[in-house]
């Protein structure tokens, strides 16, 4: 069985700042609530695969770039 890594700290704050996008703007662009984006940023929730794909497209990065990895 493959040894899977777990996501660590969210890198969304840095990525949002780099793109000049707010968490609210991002939530509108990807079709989720601002509260969900906030929970992801604070490490209380994870992005689904589909949502991570949308977020990475908006932020011009890979899905792996969204978190530090353990």
């Amino acid at each position: 069985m493959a040894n899977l890594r777990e996501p660590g700290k969210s890198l969304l704050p840095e990525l949002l700042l780099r793109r000049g996008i707010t968490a609210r703007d991002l939530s509108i662009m990807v079709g989720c609530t601002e509260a969900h984006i906030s929970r992801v940023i604070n490490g209380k929730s994870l992005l689904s695969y589909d949502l991570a794909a949308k977020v990475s497209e908006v932020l011009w990065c890979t899905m792996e770039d969204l978190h530090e990895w353990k």
Side-chain angles (χ1 to χ4, degrees), residues 11-62:
L11 299 176
L12 278 179
E14 292 89 349
L15 293 166
L16 291 170
L17 186 61
R18 211 179 297 161
R19 295 287 175 229
I21 299 172
T22 66
R24 182 168 194 255
D25 293 338
L26 178 64
S27 69
I28 293 167
M29 291 177 191
V30 299
C32 73
T33 65
E34 185 178 357
H36 183 62
I37 297 297
S38 177
R39 285 192 302 273
V40 170
I41 289 171
N42 292 312
K44 305 221 184 278
S45 187
L46 294 173
L47 296 170
S48 68
Y49 182 87
D50 290 338
L51 192 53
K54 289 178 185 178
V55 169
S56 64
E57 187 176 320
V58 169
L59 297 177
W60 303 350
C61 66
T62 67

Side-chain angles (χ1 to χ4, degrees), residues 1-5:
M1 185 178 213
N3 187 11
L4 300 176
R5 297 182 305 164

